């Protein structure tokens, strides 16, 4: 038999799924021992399957197998709770916080439970697979509209519950650090809970727009004072609110004109 280190390298290959690893582990006791006890394999499998959650862990974390097992167990319980909601609440249009108590407890049982639940609910909501049967199908069938209906309600509830705390934190920071873009992001997340609106993506798009505006202004008004601003100053403005006006009325209008051109003519805003 190959040395454990070689087996680990083979099984950590990105072409092998978590299911493939588990199937391998039941072929013999030696492979089972290697798979179950290998932090190396499960760390790589986690990073391959859920790379967006890796920053949630510190460098000392090593219980990757148990974390993956927890995710699968949580997914089963999420689907069970969703399946139980229709018989309980089909007469209600709106659900109270008391009706959502099981979800509150579920999202608080682990530091990352909220993230896993949101991912699962988003997957359910955005599943567009048609149900190819005229027979009664199980409620947890992908594409089931009843399941999607309650998944959207739960997602709105748990996201807005977290956003309430985030908004309170935002309002408690010094005024110079209450960046408008951050506040607008929280509002967008509150109003559109079934969409994945992430700060890093928003910040990247805003940077692209800002650079396009500067390029357009450079062509139209090459002597505009904005072109003399140092890059370090731009970075400071990105993370702190500006104090006072930086430009006179005419210079501000020129920047706004370029912004309008970029948004409506180049990007296609309507």
């Amino acid at each position: 038999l190959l040395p454990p280190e070689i087996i680990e390298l083979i099984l950590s290959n990105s072409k092998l799924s978590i299911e493939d690893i588990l199937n391998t582990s039941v072929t013999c006791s030696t492979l089972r021992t290697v798979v179950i006890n290998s932090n190396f394999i499960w760390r790589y499998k986690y990073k391959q399957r859920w790379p967006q959650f890796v920053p949630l862990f510190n460098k000392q974390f090593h219980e990757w197998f148990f974390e993956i097992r927890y995710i699968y167990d949580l997914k089963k319980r999420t689907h069970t709770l969703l399946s139980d909601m229709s018989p309980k609440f089909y007469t209600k249009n709106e659900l109270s916080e008391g009706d959502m108590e099981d979800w509150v407890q579920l999202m608080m049982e682990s530091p990352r439970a909220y993230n896993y639940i949101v991912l699962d609910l988003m997957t359910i909501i955005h599943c567009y697979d048609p149900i190819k049967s005229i027979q009664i199908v199980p409620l947890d069938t992908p594409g089931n509209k009843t399941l999607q209906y309650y998944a959207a309600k739960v997602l709105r509830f748990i996201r807005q519950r977290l956003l309430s705390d985030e908004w309170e934190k935002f309002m408690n920071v010094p005024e110079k650090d209450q960046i408008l873009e951050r506040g607008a992001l929280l509002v967008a997340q509150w109003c559109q809970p079934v969409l994945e609106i992430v700060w890093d993506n928003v910040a990247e798009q805003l940077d692209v727009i800002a650079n396009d505006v500067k390029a357009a202004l450079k062509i139209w008004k090459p002597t505009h004072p904005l072109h003399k601003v140092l890059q370090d100053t731009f970075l400071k403005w990105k993370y702190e609110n500006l104090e006072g006006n930086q430009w006179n009325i005419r210079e501000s209008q020129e920047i706004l004109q370029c912004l309008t051109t970029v948004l409506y003519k180049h990007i296609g805003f309507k």
Side-chain angles (χ1 to χ4, degrees), residues 147-161:
L147 196 71
Q148 291 177 332
Y149 172 78
Y150 284 105
K153 282 188 174 293
V154 173
L155 184 58
R156 176 179 292 274
F157 171 79
I158 64 174
R159 274 203 154 157
Q160 291 183 346
R161 182 184 178 90

Side-chain angles (χ1 to χ4, degrees), residues 186-227:
L186 293 175
V187 173
Q189 290 173 329
W190 180 279
C191 296
Q192 303 172 91
V194 299
L195 299 181
E196 192 62 34
I197 306 173
V198 182
W199 169 249
D200 288 344
N201 295 340
V202 172
E204 183 179 352
Q205 293 176 42
L206 290 174
D207 286 344
V208 170
I209 292 172
N211 288 330
D212 288 349
V213 170
K214 286 193 289 183
L217 186 65
K218 184 72 172 176
I219 295 172
W220 183 42
K221 295 290 181 180
T223 60
H224 195 286
L226 180 139
H227 305 309

Side-chain angles (χ1 to χ4, degrees), residues 7-192:
I7 296 175
E8 288 181 327
L9 284 173
I10 294 172
L11 294 181
S12 63
N13 189 284
S14 60
K15 293 183 179 180
L16 296 178
S17 67
I18 291 172
E19 289 73 18
D20 293 330
I21 307 302
L22 293 175
N23 290 336
T24 301
S25 71
V26 299
T27 57
C28 72
S29 59
T30 303
L31 283 175
R32 176 177 174 78
T33 300
V34 172
V35 168
I36 297 302
N37 295 318
S38 174
N39 188 50
F40 180 86
I41 293 174
W42 294 112
R43 183 175 72 250
Y44 270 86
K45 289 298 116 183
Y46 187 98
K47 290 180 178 180
Q48 291 162 8
R49 178 66 180 81
W50 300 283
Q52 70 273 38
F53 298 143
V54 172
L56 301 177
F57 296 88
N58 58 44
K59 294 181 179 180
Q60 289 72 41
F61 187 85
H62 61 277
E63 300 290 341
W64 295 103
F65 171 73
F66 295 102
E67 187 73 11
I68 291 174
R69 190 168 69 174
Y70 172 73
I71 292 173
Y72 277 80
D73 174 67
L74 185 63
K75 182 175 182 179
K76 288 181 182 178
R77 289 185 286 149
T78 296
H79 282 243
T80 299
L81 277 178
L82 279 177
S83 299
D84 290 343
M85 290 184 76
S86 181
K88 283 183 180 179
F89 307 123
Y90 71 94
T91 60
K92 290 187 173 184
N93 289 326
E94 297 297 332
L95 302 181
S96 67
E97 187 158 341
D99 296 331
M100 296 289 193
E101 182 59 32
D102 289 338
W103 291 100
V104 174
Q105 305 227 347
L106 198 63
M107 64 186 281
M108 293 178 63
E109 70 179 21
S110 157
R112 294 165 294 276
Y114 167 83
N115 304 88
Y116 300 146
I117 294 170
V118 166
L119 176 64
D120 196 28
L121 294 174
M122 291 282 283
T123 302
I124 292 169
I125 291 168
H126 296 290
C127 175
Y128 303 107
D129 296 341
I131 297 177
K132 301 176 182 179
S133 173
I134 61 173
Q135 305 296 324
I136 296 175
V137 296
L139 187 60
D140 62 351
T141 302
N144 186 291
K145 298 305 178 185
T146 302
L147 196 71
Q148 291 177 332
Y149 172 78
Y150 284 105
K153 282 188 174 293
V154 173
L155 184 58
R156 176 179 292 274
F157 171 79
I158 64 174
R159 274 203 154 157
Q160 291 183 346
R161 182 184 178 90
L162 182 72
L163 285 169
S164 296
D165 296 335
E166 292 297 316
W167 182 259
E168 187 173 349
K169 292 177 186 176
F170 176 76
M171 296 303 294
N172 285 331
V173 300
E175 189 172 337
K176 71 179 181 65
D177 296 325
Q178 292 179 3
I179 306 301
L180 178 61
E181 295 93 320
R182 290 280 187 177
L185 177 75
L186 293 175
V187 173
Q189 290 173 329
W190 180 279
C191 296
Q192 303 172 91

